[in-house]
Amino acid sequence: MSGVKIDASWLALLKEEFDSPYFAEIKSGLQKMKENNEVIYPSGSQIFNAFNLTPVDQVKVVIIGQDPYHNSGEAMGLSFSVPKGKKIPPSLRNIYKEVASDCELPIPNHGDLTEWAQSGVLLLNTFLTVTENKPASHRTLGWHLFTDAVIAKLSEKLDGIVFLLWGNFAKEKVKLINETKHLILSSVHPSPLAGNGFFGNHHFTTANNYLNAKGKKPVDWQIKNK
């Protein structure tokens, strides 16, 4: 992970994690994979993309995903997001449908969620890397320890964050969050495999109503077409 950089605010908040034995094992594990000529996504400069686009003091909403996309050119360090020009994944297409219905906004023609990240939405995958064409291949690397610490420290240090927990995997993170200080919104996963239960949850307007009540600027859920 040489040359990989992360925003200074996160570096300060997570110093204990970066100095921990488990994080040293993550780095050595990734190094061994590279020595074995494994192709790892996202690229090194984008592993901490979510953190670099959304500094600690700008976090308003946290959306928790699982693994990065494992196909070439798709992973970009933001949960559910793919670069412009890539086909919009099924889960993100359903997210867009709910935003359109909930906020009366048009559906974007691409899957790049950078604008959400810049508006205060931390798009956090639980596992920050994956080997090409091998889904869930880095789940034993230790990333979950790091991202659990991210959630717990945000809960502890900040107030008035909206945590969107979609699907059973994300819902397990509720134990890391102080429900008296933050808003937790849960639903089934947006994947089509989960049926239509994601639709009608109104998470996007509910989040903004909560942020307004806290005196914070709401998230602009509109993503401009490319």
Side-chain angles (χ1 to χ4, degrees):
M1 295 178 68
S2 59
V4 175
K5 295 182 179 180
I6 187 169
D7 177 82
S9 64
W10 288 105
L11 201 58
L13 182 70
L14 301 169
K15 186 179 186 306
E16 290 181 4
E17 308 309 314
F18 287 118
D19 292 340
S20 68
Y22 81 77
F23 200 84
E25 291 183 11
I26 292 174
K27 291 193 289 185
S28 64
L30 290 172
Q31 184 59 39
K32 289 176 184 175
M33 292 175 191
K34 290 182 179 179
E35 291 170 358
N36 291 331
N37 296 316
E38 292 188 31
V39 177
I40 296 171
Y41 297 135
S43 63
S45 62
Q46 290 191 311
I47 290 175
F48 295 115
N49 198 22
F51 302 89
N52 291 327
L53 289 172
T54 316
V56 173
D57 63 353
Q58 295 180 24
V59 176
K60 301 173 185 176
V61 177
V62 179
I63 297 179
I64 299 172
Q66 296 185 36
D67 299 272
Y69 299 115
H70 57 87
N71 295 320
S72 176
E74 292 184 348
M76 56 183 296
L78 304 175
S79 60
F80 294 102
S81 179
V82 292
K84 294 180 179 70
K86 290 293 181 179
K87 183 179 180 181
I88 299 173
S91 292
L92 180 55
R93 192 168 293 281
N94 280 349
I95 291 169
Y96 279 169
K97 288 178 182 178
E98 179 59 22
V99 172
S101 172
D102 190 20
C103 305
E104 299 182 353
L105 294 172
I107 292 177
N109 62 4
H110 64 86
D112 186 343
L113 301 180
T114 296
E115 290 177 69
W116 283 5
Q118 294 171 331
S119 189
V121 183
L122 181 67
L123 295 161
L124 181 67
N125 273 322
T126 300
F127 310 98
L128 298 188
T129 56
V130 70
T131 294
E132 183 178 38
N133 299 327
K134 294 183 179 180
S137 51
H138 292 192
R139 290 199 174 190
T140 60
L141 202 58
W143 278 126
H144 63 290
L145 301 173
F146 178 77
T147 52
D148 278 2
V150 170
I151 297 167
K153 287 181 184 292
L154 284 175
S155 175
E156 176 190 356
K157 301 293 184 182
L158 300 184
D159 290 291
I161 295 176
V162 183
F163 290 87
L164 302 184
L165 308 183
W166 298 336
N168 292 333
F169 184 90
K171 289 176 186 177
E172 292 176 1
K173 306 300 180 183
V174 70
K175 62 182 181 293
L176 303 169
I177 305 164
N178 185 337
E179 297 184 57
T180 66
K181 295 172 61 183
H182 308 283
L183 176 64
I184 300 172
L185 300 176
S186 301
S187 79
V188 301
H189 196 276
S191 168
L193 299 176
N196 295 321
F198 182 76
F199 298 123
N201 63 36
H202 300 290
H203 280 184
F204 304 96
T205 53
T206 303
N208 276 351
N209 289 338
Y210 177 82
L211 293 171
N212 270 322
K214 292 290 184 179
K216 298 182 180 184
K217 184 180 179 181
V219 172
D220 182 2
W221 295 111
Q222 177 63 65
I223 290 177
K224 301 180 188 69
N225 283 333
K226 64 178 181 180

